[in-house]
């Protein structure tokens, strides 16, 4: 939110009490509390003005938090994000009326405590990272809202906001803030952290994460589940202005010597990403949204995939598996599926996993509505009635997941579907959550619950599955999320159009989410809205099968390939088989992501932070640590991409996945034209990539047929982890690869080493 009009003026009706002085401070073990006030000329200046209490803490090494509180008497009904913490890693030095140094591992905060010289500086070995300079901590009063009534006289109130402005350096670039579909570099943008169902073509987004990464070597996480407004070099060109309605604001500066280290620390704070079953890396096919389909339609599609030798791992039933107006009642439409249980078992006989669509809403026509109303399972209005509206399902109510009985009720319906053979759930929506004139079972603040609600929804569904299947065989397909939601994977990009522009914005959104603590992501292959032309379909297939998860899905038209031409079937078959043979590589990279927070789809600068040319790139990415992917966004196949410098092997050359004799020089731009049988996939020099061409499905035996692709020379021995496809958190075998004489050899029998370039 912007409060100023240029450098000198505030907006009409706005006043800001700026903090310029440390009145006093208190050190309590590893916590420091400072009383901040305005510029002090004499003791009379302590009267009739605001103060702000600043609390400095460190939940984990390399992370320092600052909590700014104006009035401390507010009622706190939650909810709160679950954050990890430890002690014993801080160092505090105080020189009275001069400065206070607060250290947490490699990160330091210096506060200038000299009279009227308030200044915060976060620094590390390379110098200043960010901080608060002149007039950057304040309490804002806005008298232009309905809260301000002139007839209240001396008790006249203003809508209050806490404001914290963090310094930006020359050339500093900002990234992240969840799945955002606009410009990848966030400088110059105004961002509200507020979940909305806005598609992929606007500033609204389903996945808002109040965490950004700076190219200068730090991240900032704002610890508030309500609406957080950020002006990223868009109000003050030297700052990020963070504001929150209310009386307090807490943020954490997360240090990292590399971008990966920042994400590692951030996910240690908010939760490490969970792993997913190996079968989920196979191709998913859906019924699409509003199409007419029944058992015969589905069977025809599956036969078409079988007859064309296109591997298929998961079949998904979208919304209309239930009767219209009854979403959700968790019952298959008996007119379309008269023997739903039997049919699911017949699908299982085809070695398919089953997914069904759900959302946290119950339409008034659902048989479950009266039961939910009677037992208090829904969000209520402040008068005690059920909150309802007609926008989506007529008379729909919203399940109140703060009510343990409602969670059990919802979970039991999922268990019944799992008994029928359902393996996974697409947890759609959870963004359209009311926040005015409503109340929750546990008394939670409705505004803070708006973004937080999706965590409760996904948590109930995910934990219901893990109770039955265990974590190695559980995953969602979720649209919305909030900080910590990486614990409940997977997430997909939402409603995109069937255009190249939408394909590109989807990639930007996915890469931004990958910088926000998430390691898995998918898009609707072919686009959701509209019907893709054949060329776009094939280009999106190529991109979608080089995402962590791959799903064919649309709105009013099907996405089976032969509808668009048999050449589309050929492209899809090749892309699916390529992804399956990459399974050993993907499982190993995912395990690293689980341990460190490093995503499978990586913005280029995340992997090559020392190459400044990588920081603006948003039309290419690294797929794991070894493969560069540049999707094609044109019919004619023209694509321009950058090949980064690799400091570990400055003499090595990248090679084409398709033609090992084709090499690329690091630090160079290339423009190529590709048909539909190739795209730029480049193998990193000095890398060892485990693949298995014998695999028919990702869950097959990983060791039988295992090959190691070696590009170029190896300066050191490389240890390759082979992950167990049945238990994706466990390593079956570690294979060591080294140069012996003129040969590259592995220390395990039965493992083929393919040296694609010397």
């Amino acid at each position: 939110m912007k409060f100023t009009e240029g450098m000198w003026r505030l907006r009409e009706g706005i006043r800001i009490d700026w903090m310029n002085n440390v009145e006093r401070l208190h050190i309590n073990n590893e916590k420091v509390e400072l009383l901040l006030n305005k510029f002090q000329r004499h003791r009379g200046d302590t009267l009739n003005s605001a103060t702000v209490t600043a609390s400095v803490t460190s939940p984990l090494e390399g992370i320092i938090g600052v909590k700014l509180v104006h009035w401390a008497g507010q009622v706190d009904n939650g909810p709160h994000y679950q954050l990890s913490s430890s002690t014993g890693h801080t160092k505090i030095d105080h020189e009275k009326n001069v400065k206070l140094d607060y250290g947490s591992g490699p990160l330091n905060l210096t506060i200038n405590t000299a009279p009227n010289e308030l200044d915060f500086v976060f620094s590390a070995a390379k110098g200043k990272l960010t901080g608060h300079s002149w007039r950057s901590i304040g309490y804002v009063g806005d008298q232009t809202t309905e809260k301000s009534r002139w007839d209240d006289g001396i008790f006249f109130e203003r809508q209050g906001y806490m404001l914290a402005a963090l310094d930006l350096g020359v050339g500093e670039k900002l990234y992240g803030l969840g799945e955002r579909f606009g410009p990848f570099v966030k400088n110059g943008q105004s961002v509200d952290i507020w979940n909305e169902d806005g598609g992929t073509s606007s500033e609204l987004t389903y996945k808002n994460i109040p965490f950004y990464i700076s190219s200068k070597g730090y991240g900032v996480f704002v610890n508030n589940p309500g609406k957080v407004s950020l002006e990223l070099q868009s109000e003050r060109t030297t700052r990020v202005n963070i504001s929150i309605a209310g009386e307090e604001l807490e943020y954490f500066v997360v240090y990292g010597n590399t971008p990966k280290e920042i994400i590692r620390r951030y996910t240690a704070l908010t939760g490490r990403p969970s792993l997913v079953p190996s079968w989920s890396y196979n191709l998913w096919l859906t019924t699409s949204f509003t199409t007419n389909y029944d058992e015969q339609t589905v069977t025809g599609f599956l036969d078409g995939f079988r007859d064309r030798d296109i591997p298929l791992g998961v079949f998904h039933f979208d919304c209309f598996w239930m009767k219209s107006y009854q979403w959700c009642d968790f019952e298959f439409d008996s007119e379309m599926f008269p023997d739903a249980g039997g049919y699911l078992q017949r699908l299982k006989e085809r070695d398919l996993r089953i997914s069904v669509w759900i959302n946290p809403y119950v339409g008034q026509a659902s048989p479950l509505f009266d039961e939910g109303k009677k037992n208090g399972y829904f969000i209520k209005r402040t008068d005690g009635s059920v909150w309802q509206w007609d926008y989506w399902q007529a008379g729909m109510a919203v399940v109140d997941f703060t009510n343990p009985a409602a969670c059990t009720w919802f979970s039991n319906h999922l268990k019944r579907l799992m008994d029928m053979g359902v393996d996974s759930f697409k947890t759609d929506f959870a963004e359209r959550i009311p926040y005015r004139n409503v109340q929750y079972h546990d008394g939670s603040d409705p505004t803070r619950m708006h973004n937080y609600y999706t965590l409760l929804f996904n948590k109930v569904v995910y934990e219901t599955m893990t109770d039955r299947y265990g974590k190695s065989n559980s995953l969602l397909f979720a649209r919305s999320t909030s900080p910590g939601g990486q614990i409940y994977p997977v997430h997909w990009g939402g409603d995109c159009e069937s255009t190249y522009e939408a394909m590109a914005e989807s990639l930007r959104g996915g890469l931004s989410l990958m910088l926000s603590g998430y390691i898995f992501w998918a898009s609707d292959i072919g686009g959701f809205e509209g019907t893709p032309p054949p060329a776009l379909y094939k280009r999106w297939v190529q991109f979608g099968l080089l995402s962590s998860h791959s799903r064919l899905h649309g709105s009013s038209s099907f996405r089976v390939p032969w509808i668009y031409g048999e050449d589309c079937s050929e492209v899809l078959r090749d892309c699916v088989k390529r992804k399956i043979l990459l399974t050993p590589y993907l499982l190993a990279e995912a395990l690293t992501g689980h341990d460190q927070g490093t995503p499978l789809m990586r913005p280029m600068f995340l992997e090559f932070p020392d190459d400044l040319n990588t920081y603006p790139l948003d039309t290419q990415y690294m797929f794991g640590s070894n493969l560069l992917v540049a999707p094609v966004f044109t019919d004619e196949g023209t694509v321009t991409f950058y090949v980064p410098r690799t400091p570990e092997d400055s003499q090595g050359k990248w090679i084409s996945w398709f033609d090992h004799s084709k090499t690329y020089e690091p630090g160079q731009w290339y423009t190529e034209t590709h048909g539909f049988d190739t795209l730029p996939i480049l193998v990193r020099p000095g890398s060892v990539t485990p693949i298995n061409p014998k695999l028919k499905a990702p869950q097959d035996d990983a060791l039988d047929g295992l090959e190691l692709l070696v590009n170029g020379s190896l300066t050191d021995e490389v240890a390759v982890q082979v992950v167990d496809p049945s238990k994706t958190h466990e390593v079956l075998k570690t294979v060591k690869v080294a140069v012996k004489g003129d040969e590259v050899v592995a220390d395990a029998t039965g493992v083929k080493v393919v040296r694609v370039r010397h």
Side-chain angles (χ1 to χ4, degrees), residues 177-210:
L177 295 173
E179 183 189 47
R180 315 211 76 83
F181 303 105
F184 180 54
V185 180
K186 301 302 183 286
N187 299 61
Q189 299 184 40
S190 298
V191 173
D192 283 339
I193 302 298
W194 191 250
N195 285 359
E196 295 280 6
D197 175 9
T200 68
S201 58
S202 75
E203 78 277 11
L204 304 180
T205 183
Y206 315 96
K207 306 173 187 67
N208 287 268
I209 311 295

Side-chain angles (χ1 to χ4, degrees), residues 288-345:
S288 291
F289 172 32
T290 61
T291 56
N292 292 317
Y293 66 89
D294 55 16
E295 182 174 325
Q296 184 178 359
T297 309
V298 173
T299 301
F301 289 159
L302 299 180
D303 288 345
F305 273 80
R306 179 199 60 201
D307 295 344
R308 291 168 175 82
D309 188 30
I310 303 173
L312 184 64
V314 183
F315 189 81
H316 169 75
F317 293 88
D318 216 56
C319 311
F320 281 96
W321 67 276
M322 294 176 282
K323 285 185 180 295
S324 58
Y325 296 108
Q326 295 186 192
W327 307 340
C328 284
D329 64 359
F330 305 101
E331 296 284 353
F332 275 85
D333 185 341
S334 58
E335 294 182 12
M336 297 297 180
F337 300 94
D339 178 24
Y343 188 59
L344 294 190
Q345 291 308 309

Side-chain angles (χ1 to χ4, degrees), residues 327 360-364 369 386-398 432:
W327 307 340
Y361 311 138
V362 178
Q364 187 168 286
F369 181 85
V386 174
W387 185 90
Q388 293 180 261
W389 69 349
D390 292 329
Y391 194 43
W392 182 240
Q393 291 289 279
M396 55 160 267
V398 182
R432 296 175 180 174

